[in-house]
Every structure is written in C-alpha cells, then in structure tokens.
Amino acid sequence: MSVPKVEIYTKMYCGYCYRAKRLLDSKGVEYEEYDITLGGPKRAEMKERKPDAITVPQIFIDDKAIGGSDELAALERDGKLDGLLGL
C-alpha cells in the first residue's frame, strides 16, 4: 500500500491548525504544509481546490478534501482516519 499524500493549508497562530498538525504528528504522518497567512498563490490554490473553503486548516489526503481540524478529529473518533492514512 502506498503512502498517501497529505497536505494541509495553515496560518500562523491558528489553534485549529496546531491541533490538526498535532494529530497527524502523533500518528507519524508526513505532510506538506502550506502557510497562507499572507495569502499568495497557495491561498489561491486552496480556493481553487476547495472553492467553499473559508477557514484553515484545509486538509487534503490524496487530493481529496477532508475539511478542517474538526473533520479530521471526527475521522479519528470514528476510527476512519488510519485507513485514509494507510496506517
């Protein structure tokens, strides 16, 4: 089984971003982090990938939009996150 690509769009001083990254870190998952604090091309990319996204973090696993920190925590609570992460 291949390791899924995990990407997370974040901003500085974002508690929800910190919480999501902490959960991924606790599972030993590598992820690509894009800091969009100052906007720029990565913010535009996030909006293109998930047009209704208005908050951070925005998390993608193998290019599938998972949502934010609450949705990531819900997947963990429901026992579905490990499967998505290939663990």
Side-chain angles (χ1 to χ4, degrees), residues 26-85:
S26 75
K27 295 187 166 292
V29 173
E30 289 189 21
Y31 51 86
E32 191 78 34
E33 180 178 359
Y34 309 121
D35 184 337
I36 62 167
T37 302
L38 300 176
K42 283 296 181 186
R43 183 180 188 287
E45 176 187 280
M46 179 189 84
K47 293 293 287 179
E48 190 173 299
R49 292 175 80 182
K50 190 163 191 296
D52 61 339
I54 55 174
T55 60
V56 288
Q58 288 298 322
I59 303 158
F60 292 81
I61 299 176
D62 279 342
D63 290 321
K64 179 177 184 272
I66 299 303
S69 179
D70 291 345
E71 290 79 11
L72 189 70
L75 287 169
E76 171 70 357
R77 201 170 37 251
D78 296 342
K80 298 176 181 174
L81 184 57
D82 285 357
L84 286 174
L85 296 173

